[in-house]
Coordinates of all heavy atoms in Angstrom, one line a residue:
R22 N -1.2 -42.3 -2.9 CA -0.2 -43.2 -2.3 C 1.2 -42.7 -2.6 O 2.1 -42.8 -1.7 CB -0.4 -44.6 -3.0 CG 0.5 -45.7 -2.4 CD 0.3 -46.9 -3.1 NE -1.1 -47.4 -3.0 CZ -1.4 -48.3 -2.0 NH1 -0.6 -48.7 -1.1 NH2 -2.7 -48.7 -1.9
K23 N 1.5 -42.3 -3.8 CA 2.8 -41.8 -4.2 C 3.1 -40.5 -3.3 O 4.3 -40.3 -2.9 CB 2.9 -41.4 -5.6 CG 2.9 -42.7 -6.5 CD 2.7 -42.3 -8.0 CE 2.6 -43.6 -8.8 NZ 2.4 -43.3 -10.3
V24 N 2.2 -39.7 -3.0 CA 2.5 -38.5 -2.3 C 2.8 -38.8 -0.8 O 3.8 -38.3 -0.3 CB 1.2 -37.6 -2.3 CG1 1.3 -36.4 -1.2 CG2 1.0 -36.9 -3.7
S25 N 2.1 -39.8 -0.3 CA 2.3 -40.2 1.1 C 3.7 -40.9 1.2 O 4.5 -40.6 2.2 CB 1.2 -41.1 1.6 OG 0.0 -40.5 1.7
I26 N 4.1 -41.7 0.3 CA 5.4 -42.4 0.3 C 6.5 -41.4 0.1 O 7.5 -41.4 0.8 CB 5.4 -43.4 -0.8 CG1 4.5 -44.6 -0.5 CG2 6.9 -44.0 -0.9 CD1 4.3 -45.7 -1.5
S27 N 6.4 -40.4 -0.8 CA 7.3 -39.3 -1.0 C 7.4 -38.6 0.3 O 8.7 -38.2 0.7 CB 6.9 -38.4 -2.1 OG 7.7 -37.3 -2.2
R28 N 6.4 -38.2 1.0 CA 6.5 -37.4 2.2 C 7.2 -38.3 3.4 O 8.0 -37.7 4.0 CB 5.1 -37.0 2.7 CG 5.0 -36.1 3.9 CD 3.6 -35.7 4.1 NE 3.1 -34.8 3.0 CZ 1.9 -34.8 2.6 NH1 1.0 -35.7 3.0 NH2 1.5 -33.9 1.6
F29 N 6.8 -39.5 3.5 CA 7.4 -40.4 4.4 C 8.9 -40.5 4.3 O 9.7 -40.3 5.2 CB 6.8 -41.7 4.4 CG 7.6 -42.9 4.9 CD1 8.1 -42.9 6.2 CD2 8.0 -43.9 4.0 CE1 8.9 -44.0 6.6 CE2 8.8 -44.9 4.4 CZ 9.3 -45.0 5.7
T30 N 9.3 -40.8 3.0 CA 10.8 -41.1 2.8 C 11.6 -39.8 2.9 O 12.7 -39.8 3.5 CB 11.0 -41.7 1.4 OG1 10.3 -40.9 0.4 CG2 10.4 -43.1 1.4
R31 N 11.1 -38.6 2.5 CA 11.8 -37.4 2.7 C 12.0 -37.0 4.2 O 13.1 -36.7 4.6 CB 11.1 -36.3 1.9 CG 11.9 -35.0 1.9 CD 11.1 -33.8 1.4 NE 10.7 -34.0 0.0 CZ 9.4 -34.2 -0.3 NH1 8.5 -34.3 0.7 NH2 9.1 -34.4 -1.5
N32 N 10.9 -37.1 4.9 CA 10.9 -36.8 6.3 C 11.8 -37.7 7.0 O 12.6 -37.3 8.0 CB 9.5 -36.7 7.0 CG 8.7 -35.6 6.4 OD1 9.3 -34.6 5.8 ND2 7.4 -35.7 6.6
F33 N 11.7 -39.0 6.8 CA 12.5 -40.0 7.5 C 14.0 -39.9 7.2 O 14.8 -39.9 8.1 CB 12.1 -41.4 7.0 CG 12.5 -42.5 7.9 CD1 12.9 -42.3 9.2 CD2 12.7 -43.8 7.4 CE1 13.3 -43.4 10.0 CE2 13.1 -44.9 8.2 CZ 13.4 -44.6 9.6
G34 N 14.3 -39.6 5.9 CA 15.7 -39.4 5.5 C 16.3 -38.1 6.2 O 17.4 -38.1 6.7
T35 N 15.5 -37.0 6.3 CA 16.0 -35.8 6.8 C 16.2 -36.0 8.3 O 17.3 -35.5 8.9 CB 14.8 -34.7 6.7 OG1 14.7 -34.5 5.3 CG2 15.4 -33.4 7.3
M36 N 15.3 -36.7 9.0 CA 15.5 -36.9 10.5 C 16.7 -37.8 10.8 O 17.5 -37.5 11.7 CB 14.3 -37.4 11.1 CG 13.0 -36.5 10.9 SD 11.7 -36.8 12.1 CE 12.3 -36.2 13.6
L37 N 16.9 -38.8 10.0 CA 18.1 -39.7 10.2 C 19.3 -39.0 10.0 O 20.4 -39.1 10.6 CB 17.9 -40.9 9.3 CG 16.8 -42.0 9.7 CD1 16.9 -43.2 8.7 CD2 16.9 -42.5 11.1
G38 N 19.3 -38.2 8.9 CA 20.5 -37.4 8.5 C 20.9 -36.4 9.6 O 22.1 -36.0 9.7
A39 N 19.9 -35.9 10.4 CA 20.1 -35.0 11.4 C 20.5 -35.6 12.7 O 20.7 -34.9 13.7 CB 18.9 -34.1 11.7
G40 N 20.6 -37.0 12.8 CA 20.9 -37.7 14.0 C 19.8 -38.0 15.0 O 20.1 -38.4 16.1
V41 N 18.5 -37.9 14.5 CA 17.4 -38.3 15.3 C 17.4 -39.8 15.5 O 17.6 -40.5 14.5 CB 16.1 -37.8 14.8 CG1 14.9 -38.2 15.6 CG2 16.1 -36.2 14.6
P42 N 17.2 -40.3 16.7 CA 17.2 -41.8 16.9 C 16.1 -42.4 16.0 O 15.0 -41.8 15.8 CB 16.9 -42.0 18.3 CG 17.4 -40.7 19.0 CD 17.2 -39.6 18.0
I43 N 16.3 -43.6 15.5 CA 15.4 -44.2 14.5 C 14.0 -44.4 15.0 O 13.1 -44.2 14.2 CB 16.1 -45.5 14.0 CG1 15.3 -45.9 12.7 CG2 16.1 -46.6 15.0 CD1 16.1 -47.0 12.0
L44 N 13.8 -44.8 16.3 CA 12.6 -45.1 16.8 C 11.8 -43.8 16.9 O 10.6 -43.7 16.6 CB 12.6 -45.8 18.2 CG 13.0 -47.2 18.1 CD1 13.2 -47.8 19.5 CD2 11.9 -48.1 17.4
H45 N 12.5 -42.7 17.4 CA 11.9 -41.4 17.5 C 11.5 -40.9 16.1 O 10.4 -40.3 16.0 CB 12.8 -40.4 18.2 CG 12.1 -39.3 18.8 ND1 12.8 -38.3 19.5 CD2 10.8 -38.9 18.7 CE1 12.0 -37.4 20.0 NE2 10.8 -37.7 19.5
A46 N 12.3 -41.1 15.1 CA 12.1 -40.7 13.8 C 10.9 -41.4 13.2 O 10.1 -40.7 12.5 CB 13.3 -40.9 12.9
L47 N 10.7 -42.6 13.4 CA 9.6 -43.4 12.9 C 8.3 -42.9 13.5 O 7.2 -42.8 12.8 CB 9.7 -44.9 13.2 CG 10.7 -45.7 12.3 CD1 11.0 -47.0 12.9 CD2 10.2 -45.8 10.9
S48 N 8.3 -42.5 14.7 CA 7.1 -42.0 15.4 C 6.7 -40.6 14.7 O 5.5 -40.4 14.5 CB 7.3 -41.8 16.9 OG 6.2 -41.2 17.5
I49 N 7.7 -39.8 14.5 CA 7.4 -38.5 14.0 C 6.9 -38.5 12.5 O 5.9 -37.9 12.2 CB 8.6 -37.5 14.1 CG1 9.1 -37.4 15.6 CG2 8.3 -36.1 13.5 CD1 7.9 -36.8 16.5
V50 N 7.6 -39.3 11.7 CA 7.3 -39.4 10.3 C 5.9 -40.0 10.0 O 5.3 -39.8 9.1 CB 8.4 -40.1 9.4 CG1 9.7 -39.3 9.5 CG2 8.6 -41.5 9.9
G51 N 5.6 -40.9 11.0 CA 4.3 -41.6 10.9 C 3.2 -40.5 11.1 O 2.2 -40.4 10.3
E52 N 3.4 -39.5 12.1 CA 2.4 -38.5 12.3 C 2.4 -37.5 11.1 O 1.3 -36.9 10.9 CB 2.7 -37.7 13.6 CG 2.7 -38.7 14.9 CD 3.2 -38.0 16.1 OE1 3.5 -36.8 16.0 OE2 3.2 -38.6 17.2
T53 N 3.5 -37.3 10.5 CA 3.6 -36.3 9.4 C 3.3 -36.8 8.0 O 3.5 -36.1 7.0 CB 4.9 -35.5 9.4 OG1 5.9 -36.5 9.3 CG2 5.1 -34.8 10.7
S54 N 3.0 -38.1 7.9 CA 2.9 -38.8 6.6 C 1.6 -38.3 5.9 O 1.5 -38.3 4.7 CB 2.9 -40.3 6.7 OG 1.7 -40.7 7.5
G55 N 0.6 -37.9 6.7 CA -0.6 -37.4 6.1 C -1.7 -38.5 5.8 O -2.7 -38.2 5.2
N56 N -1.4 -39.7 6.2 CA -2.3 -40.8 5.9 C -2.3 -41.8 7.1 O -1.2 -42.2 7.5 CB -1.9 -41.5 4.6 CG -3.0 -42.4 4.2 OD1 -3.1 -43.5 4.6 ND2 -3.8 -42.0 3.2
Y57 N -3.5 -42.1 7.5 CA -3.7 -43.0 8.7 C -3.1 -44.3 8.4 O -2.5 -45.0 9.4 CB -5.1 -43.1 9.1 CG -5.4 -43.9 10.3 CD1 -5.2 -43.4 11.6 CD2 -5.8 -45.2 10.3 CE1 -5.5 -44.0 12.7 CE2 -6.0 -45.9 11.4 CZ -5.8 -45.4 12.6 OH -6.1 -46.1 13.8
V58 N -3.3 -44.9 7.2 CA -2.8 -46.2 6.9 C -1.2 -46.3 7.1 O -0.7 -47.2 7.6 CB -3.2 -46.6 5.4 CG1 -2.6 -47.9 5.1 CG2 -4.7 -46.6 5.3
I59 N -0.5 -45.4 6.5 CA 0.9 -45.3 6.7 C 1.3 -45.1 8.1 O 2.3 -45.6 8.5 CB 1.5 -44.3 5.7 CG1 1.3 -44.7 4.2 CG2 3.0 -44.0 6.0 CD1 1.9 -43.7 3.2
E60 N 0.6 -44.2 8.8 CA 0.9 -44.0 10.2 C 0.9 -45.3 11.0 O 1.7 -45.5 11.9 CB 0.0 -42.9 10.8 CG 0.2 -42.5 12.2 CD -0.7 -41.5 12.7 OE1 -1.3 -40.7 11.8 OE2 -0.8 -41.3 14.0
E61 N -0.2 -46.1 10.8 CA -0.3 -47.3 11.6 C 0.7 -48.3 11.1 O 1.2 -49.0 11.9 CB -1.7 -47.9 11.3 CG -2.8 -47.1 12.0 CD -2.7 -47.3 13.5 OE1 -2.7 -48.4 14.0 OE2 -2.6 -46.2 14.2
A62 N 1.1 -48.3 9.8 CA 2.0 -49.3 9.3 C 3.4 -48.9 10.0 O 4.1 -49.8 10.5 CB 2.2 -49.2 7.8
L63 N 3.8 -47.6 10.0 CA 5.0 -47.2 10.7 C 5.1 -47.5 12.2 O 6.1 -47.7 12.7 CB 5.3 -45.8 10.4 CG 5.6 -45.5 8.9 CD1 5.7 -44.0 8.7 CD2 6.9 -46.2 8.4
R64 N 3.8 -47.4 12.8 CA 3.8 -47.7 14.2 C 4.1 -49.3 14.5 O 4.9 -49.6 15.4 CB 2.4 -47.4 14.7 CG 2.3 -47.5 16.3 CD 1.0 -47.0 16.8 NE 0.9 -45.6 16.6 CZ -0.1 -44.9 16.0 NH1 -1.1 -45.6 15.4 NH2 -0.2 -43.6 15.9
R65 N 3.6 -50.2 13.5 CA 4.0 -51.6 13.6 C 5.5 -51.8 13.4 O 6.1 -52.6 14.0 CB 3.1 -52.3 12.7 CG 1.6 -52.4 13.1 CD 0.8 -53.4 12.3 NE 0.7 -52.9 10.9 CZ -0.3 -52.2 10.5 NH1 -1.3 -51.8 11.4 NH2 -0.4 -51.8 9.3
V66 N 6.0 -51.0 12.3 CA 7.4 -51.1 12.1 C 8.3 -50.8 13.3 O 9.2 -51.3 13.6 CB 7.7 -50.2 10.8 CG1 9.3 -50.2 10.6 CG2 7.1 -50.8 9.6

């Protein structure tokens, strides 16, 4: 769980800092989180 959250927050922060639109960033970080539960949660977010 901690690994997945670390991966999600790092990727999300990197993409937002690079100017990627927030909806697009949520879609990408969900796919790269490495866990289906977090991916589905971010899809609902």
Side-chain angles (χ1 to χ4, degrees):
R22 183 184 297 271
K23 291 172 182 176
V24 168
S25 298
I26 293 174
S27 172
R28 185 176 290 142
F29 151 63
T30 51
R31 184 189 302 107
N32 291 342
F33 195 25
T35 301
M36 298 198 77
L37 292 181
V41 178
I43 192 167
L44 286 173
H45 201 174
L47 283 169
S48 174
I49 299 301
V50 298
E52 295 174 2
T53 57
S54 65
N56 192 278
Y57 183 81
V58 177
I59 291 181
E60 182 178 341
E61 285 296 300
L63 292 176
R64 190 173 290 127
R65 291 189 291 270
V66 171

